[in-house]
Amino acid sequence: MKQNIFQVVPLVNASFFQKLFKQLPIENSVIEVNNLLASYQINEISKENIYEIKQRYQISLEQEFKLNLEEFYAVYLNHCLNDGVLNDLNFENLNHLKLILSLKNDSIEKLTHKIGEIVYRRFFEKAISNGRLIKREEDFLEKIEKDLQLPKSLINNISNETKHNFGLNYVENVIRNLELSPDIEREINNIAESLNVDLLFSHEITEQLKKLKLYWKLEHFPLSTITSDIVIQKSEQCYFKIDSAKWYEVKSLLQKPSHYNSNIRELKSFYLKSISQKRDSYTYKYIDSGSLYLTNKRIIFTGRQKDINIRFEKILRLSPQSDGVEIDKETIKSAFIQFSDKADEFCFILDKLIRERE
């Protein structure tokens, strides 16, 4: 063959004893078959050419080198399927190769299914690379299935697995980018509809998507006001309340910035992973428990023993924690507000309100 599918390989030199007893290295028999395939078109090689090799080496290639003969067939089949299409010449050459190598039907079927699975999967992944499966691509995949006589169970497994993996990879990329806009959410639904697949994700991924959807809404939509059950200024509006909060003073060792400094992507990344942290208890001094409010001007804490306010202009940095948020202020001591739920929501609303003041 002149398509560089097979390459001519040098014969192995005979050992001392092989020369002494005038024996040929048996591995040269299969090398000679390879060199025939490398030197001639398949239809130019006859069964007699192979028989002559077997006679010269006094060997049964089918028994001694069965796997090598199967590999020759597999290599050529894979080459023919490079573009996913088997033409008439390919079929003729494959049948002729089967004949001259004396390959059995069950071996051919096994090889065809093994190579066919790899090829079909490759073209299926390519067909849905944009999250859509159009009629033309379906017809092409159906032709591969028919030409190779692939089992329906194999086709279904490849289809379901590939579709699910595409959807999962798409969603994991969305999570890595920390962005779930309505357009992206619609695209996820369109992918599921076009590929006709139920995109079922792990509990962790499902929760991360819910969080990203909330974060996008908090970041891009106007905040919703709530009715306050405490007295606030006429110019104030309340946006957040939680009843079970704990207030701590923090002996912060971090150097404070000169002005408010916070990174929304870092906040997203932290709360998305729900990292559990252990804090050094000696740096936290418990102050009180009570209710926490967030208005457009300040943080309001109404405790059992005392009330605390932090105005936005005094806040320099937000440090997210798995169960709350640490707030660096202009004063020496910072604050850590701990609550069991919605720490991320509080942090995003607070960050947005501070930025809108600037």
Coordinates of all heavy atoms in Angstrom, one line a residue, residues 235-277:
S235 N -35.2 58.0 55.2 CA -34.4 57.9 53.9 C -33.9 56.5 53.8 O -33.2 56.2 52.8 CB -33.3 58.9 53.9 OG -32.4 58.7 55.0
E236 N -34.2 55.6 54.8 CA -33.6 54.2 54.7 C -34.6 53.2 54.2 O -35.8 53.4 54.4 CB -33.2 53.8 56.1 CG -31.8 54.3 56.5 CD -31.4 53.7 57.9 OE1 -32.0 54.0 58.9 OE2 -30.4 52.9 57.9
Q237 N -34.1 52.3 53.5 CA -34.9 51.1 53.0 C -34.2 49.8 53.5 O -33.0 49.7 53.4 CB -35.1 51.1 51.5 CG -35.9 52.3 51.0 CD -36.0 52.3 49.5 OE1 -35.0 52.1 48.8 NE2 -37.2 52.5 48.9
C238 N -35.0 48.9 53.9 CA -34.4 47.6 54.4 C -34.4 46.6 53.3 O -35.4 46.4 52.6 CB -35.3 47.1 55.6 SG -34.5 45.7 56.5
Y239 N -33.3 45.8 53.2 CA -33.2 44.8 52.1 C -32.9 43.4 52.7 O -33.0 42.5 51.9 CB -32.0 45.2 51.2 CG -32.3 46.5 50.4 CD1 -31.7 47.7 50.8 CD2 -33.1 46.5 49.3 CE1 -31.9 48.9 50.2 CE2 -33.4 47.7 48.6 CZ -32.8 48.9 49.1 OH -33.0 50.1 48.4
F240 N -32.6 43.3 54.0 CA -32.2 42.0 54.5 C -32.5 42.0 56.0 O -32.3 42.9 56.7 CB -30.8 41.7 54.2 CG -30.3 40.4 54.7 CD1 -30.3 39.3 53.8 CD2 -29.8 40.1 56.0 CE1 -29.9 38.0 54.2 CE2 -29.4 38.9 56.4 CZ -29.4 37.8 55.5
K241 N -33.0 40.8 56.4 CA -33.2 40.6 57.9 C -33.0 39.1 58.2 O -33.5 38.2 57.4 CB -34.6 41.0 58.3 CG -34.9 40.7 59.8 CD -36.3 40.8 60.2 CE -36.5 40.4 61.6 NZ -37.9 40.4 62.0
I242 N -32.3 38.9 59.3 CA -32.3 37.5 59.8 C -32.3 37.6 61.3 O -31.7 38.5 61.9 CB -31.0 36.8 59.3 CG1 -31.1 35.3 59.5 CG2 -29.7 37.3 59.9 CD1 -30.1 34.5 58.7
D243 N -33.1 36.6 61.9 CA -33.3 36.7 63.3 C -32.3 36.1 64.2 O -32.1 36.6 65.4 CB -34.7 36.1 63.7 CG -35.9 36.9 63.1 OD1 -35.8 38.1 63.2 OD2 -36.8 36.3 62.6
S244 N -31.6 35.1 63.7 CA -30.6 34.4 64.6 C -29.2 34.7 64.1 O -28.6 34.0 63.3 CB -30.9 32.9 64.5 OG -30.9 32.5 63.2
A245 N -28.6 35.8 64.7 CA -27.3 36.2 64.3 C -26.5 36.4 65.6 O -27.0 36.7 66.7 CB -27.3 37.5 63.5
K246 N -25.2 36.1 65.5 CA -24.3 36.3 66.6 C -23.2 37.3 66.2 O -22.7 37.3 65.1 CB -23.6 35.0 67.0 CG -24.6 34.0 67.6 CD -23.9 32.7 68.0 CE -24.9 31.7 68.6 NZ -24.2 30.5 69.0
W247 N -22.9 38.3 67.1 CA -21.9 39.3 66.8 C -20.6 39.1 67.6 O -20.7 38.8 68.8 CB -22.5 40.7 67.2 CG -21.7 41.8 66.6 CD1 -20.6 42.4 67.1 CD2 -22.1 42.6 65.5 NE1 -20.2 43.4 66.3 CE2 -21.1 43.6 65.3 CE3 -23.2 42.6 64.6 CZ2 -21.1 44.6 64.3 CZ3 -23.2 43.6 63.6 CH2 -22.2 44.5 63.5
Y248 N -19.5 39.1 66.9 CA -18.2 38.9 67.6 C -17.3 40.1 67.2 O -17.4 40.7 66.2 CB -17.5 37.7 67.1 CG -18.2 36.4 67.4 CD1 -19.2 35.9 66.7 CD2 -17.7 35.6 68.5 CE1 -19.9 34.7 67.0 CE2 -18.3 34.4 68.8 CZ -19.4 33.9 68.0 OH -20.0 32.8 68.3
E249 N -16.4 40.5 68.2 CA -15.3 41.4 67.9 C -14.1 40.5 67.4 O -13.9 39.4 68.0 CB -14.9 42.2 69.1 CG -15.9 43.4 69.3 CD -15.4 44.3 70.4 OE1 -14.4 43.9 71.1 OE2 -16.0 45.4 70.6
V250 N -13.4 41.0 66.5 CA -12.3 40.3 65.9 C -11.0 41.0 66.1 O -10.8 42.2 65.8 CB -12.5 40.0 64.4 CG1 -11.4 39.1 63.8 CG2 -13.8 39.4 64.1
K251 N -10.0 40.3 66.6 CA -8.6 40.8 66.6 C -7.9 40.6 65.3 O -7.2 39.6 65.1 CB -7.8 40.2 67.7 CG -8.4 40.4 69.1 CD -7.7 39.6 70.2 CE -8.3 39.7 71.5 NZ -7.6 38.9 72.6
S252 N -8.2 41.4 64.3 CA -7.8 41.2 63.0 C -6.3 41.5 62.8 O -5.8 42.5 63.3 CB -8.5 42.1 62.0 OG -8.1 41.9 60.7
L253 N -5.6 40.5 62.2 CA -4.1 40.7 62.0 C -3.8 41.2 60.5 O -2.7 41.4 60.2 CB -3.4 39.3 62.2 CG -3.6 38.7 63.6 CD1 -2.9 37.4 63.7 CD2 -3.1 39.7 64.7
L254 N -4.9 41.3 59.7 CA -4.7 41.8 58.4 C -4.5 43.3 58.3 O -5.1 44.0 59.1 CB -5.9 41.4 57.5 CG -6.2 39.9 57.3 CD1 -7.5 39.7 56.6 CD2 -5.0 39.2 56.6
Q255 N -3.7 43.7 57.4 CA -3.5 45.1 57.2 C -4.7 45.7 56.5 O -5.2 45.2 55.5 CB -2.2 45.4 56.3 CG -2.0 46.9 56.1 CD -0.7 47.1 55.3 OE1 0.0 46.1 55.0 NE2 -0.4 48.3 55.0
K256 N -5.3 46.7 57.0 CA -6.5 47.3 56.5 C -6.2 48.1 55.2 O -5.3 48.9 55.2 CB -7.2 48.1 57.5 CG -7.7 47.3 58.8 CD -8.3 48.2 59.8 CE -8.7 47.5 61.0 NZ -9.8 46.5 60.8
P257 N -7.1 48.0 54.2 CA -7.0 48.9 53.0 C -7.3 50.3 53.4 O -8.0 50.6 54.4 CB -7.9 48.2 52.0 CG -9.0 47.6 52.9 CD -8.2 47.1 54.1
S258 N -6.9 51.2 52.5 CA -7.2 52.6 52.8 C -8.6 53.0 52.4 O -9.2 54.0 52.8 CB -6.2 53.5 52.0 OG -6.3 53.2 50.6
H259 N -9.3 52.2 51.5 CA -10.7 52.4 51.2 C -11.4 51.1 50.9 O -10.7 50.0 51.0 CB -10.7 53.3 49.9 CG -10.1 52.7 48.7 ND1 -8.7 52.8 48.6 CD2 -10.5 52.0 47.7 CE1 -8.3 52.1 47.4 NE2 -9.4 51.6 46.9
Y260 N -12.7 51.1 50.7 CA -13.4 49.8 50.5 C -12.8 49.0 49.4 O -12.6 49.5 48.3 CB -14.9 50.1 50.3 CG -15.6 48.8 50.1 CD1 -15.9 48.0 51.2 CD2 -16.1 48.4 48.8 CE1 -16.6 46.8 51.0 CE2 -16.8 47.2 48.7 CZ -17.0 46.4 49.8 OH -17.7 45.2 49.6
N261 N -12.5 47.7 49.7 CA -11.9 46.9 48.8 C -12.5 45.5 48.9 O -12.4 44.8 49.9 CB -10.4 46.8 49.0 CG -9.7 45.9 48.0 OD1 -10.2 45.7 46.9 ND2 -8.4 45.6 48.3
S262 N -13.2 45.1 47.8 CA -13.8 43.7 47.8 C -13.9 43.2 46.4 O -14.0 44.0 45.5 CB -15.2 43.8 48.5 OG -15.7 42.5 48.5
N263 N -13.8 41.9 46.2 CA -13.8 41.3 44.9 C -15.0 40.4 44.8 O -15.1 39.4 45.4 CB -12.5 40.5 44.6 CG -12.4 40.0 43.2 OD1 -13.3 39.5 42.6 ND2 -11.2 40.3 42.6
I264 N -15.9 40.8 43.9 CA -17.2 40.0 43.8 C -16.9 38.6 43.3 O -17.6 37.6 43.7 CB -18.2 40.7 42.8 CG1 -19.6 40.1 42.9 CG2 -17.7 40.8 41.4 CD1 -20.3 40.2 44.2
R265 N -15.9 38.4 42.4 CA -15.6 37.0 42.0 C -15.1 36.1 43.1 O -15.4 34.9 43.2 CB -14.7 37.0 40.8 CG -15.3 37.5 39.5 CD -14.3 37.3 38.3 NE -13.9 35.9 38.1 CZ -14.7 35.1 37.4 NH1 -15.8 35.5 36.8 NH2 -14.3 33.8 37.3
E266 N -14.3 36.7 43.9 CA -13.8 36.0 45.1 C -14.9 35.6 46.0 O -14.9 34.5 46.6 CB -12.7 36.8 45.8 CG -11.4 37.0 45.0 CD -10.4 37.8 45.7 OE1 -10.6 38.2 46.9 OE2 -9.3 38.0 45.2
L267 N -15.8 36.5 46.2 CA -17.0 36.2 47.1 C -17.8 35.1 46.5 O -18.2 34.1 47.2 CB -17.9 37.4 47.2 CG -17.3 38.7 47.9 CD1 -18.3 39.8 48.0 CD2 -16.8 38.3 49.3
K268 N -18.0 35.1 45.2 CA -18.8 34.1 44.5 C -18.1 32.7 44.7 O -18.7 31.7 45.0 CB -19.0 34.4 43.0 CG -20.0 35.4 42.7 CD -20.0 35.5 41.1 CE -20.9 36.7 40.7 NZ -20.9 36.8 39.2
S269 N -16.8 32.7 44.3 CA -16.0 31.5 44.4 C -16.0 30.9 45.8 O -16.2 29.7 45.9 CB -14.6 31.8 43.9 OG -13.8 30.6 44.0
F270 N -15.9 31.7 46.8 CA -15.8 31.2 48.2 C -17.2 30.6 48.5 O -17.2 29.4 49.0 CB -15.5 32.3 49.1 CG -15.5 31.9 50.6 CD1 -14.3 31.4 51.1 CD2 -16.6 31.9 51.3 CE1 -14.2 30.9 52.4 CE2 -16.6 31.4 52.7 CZ -15.4 31.0 53.2
Y271 N -18.2 31.3 48.4 CA -19.5 30.8 48.8 C -20.1 29.6 48.0 O -20.8 28.8 48.4 CB -20.6 31.9 48.9 CG -20.4 32.8 50.1 CD1 -20.1 34.1 50.0 CD2 -20.5 32.3 51.4 CE1 -19.9 35.0 51.1 CE2 -20.3 33.1 52.5 CZ -20.0 34.4 52.4 OH -19.8 35.2 53.5
L272 N -19.6 29.6 46.7 CA -20.0 28.5 45.8 C -19.5 27.2 46.3 O -20.1 26.2 46.1 CB -19.5 28.8 44.4 CG -20.3 28.1 43.3 CD1 -21.7 28.6 43.2 CD2 -19.6 28.4 41.9
K273 N -18.3 27.2 46.8 CA -17.6 26.0 47.3 C -18.0 25.6 48.7 O -17.7 24.5 49.1 CB -16.1 26.1 47.2 CG -15.6 26.4 45.8 CD -14.1 26.7 45.8 CE -13.6 27.0 44.4 NZ -12.2 27.4 44.4
S274 N -18.7 26.5 49.4 CA -19.2 26.2 50.7 C -18.1 25.6 51.6 O -18.2 24.5 52.2 CB -20.4 25.2 50.7 OG -21.5 25.8 50.0
I275 N -17.0 26.3 51.6 CA -15.8 25.8 52.4 C -16.1 25.9 53.9 O -16.5 26.9 54.4 CB -14.6 26.6 52.0 CG1 -14.3 26.6 50.5 CG2 -13.3 26.2 52.8 CD1 -13.2 27.5 50.0
S276 N -15.8 24.8 54.5 CA -15.9 24.7 56.0 C -14.6 25.2 56.6 O -13.5 24.6 56.2 CB -16.3 23.3 56.5 OG -16.3 23.3 57.9
Q277 N -14.6 26.1 57.5 CA -13.4 26.7 58.0 C -13.3 26.6 59.6 O -14.4 26.6 60.2 CB -13.2 28.2 57.7 CG -13.0 28.4 56.2 CD -12.9 29.9 55.9 OE1 -13.6 30.7 56.5 NE2 -12.0 30.3 55.0

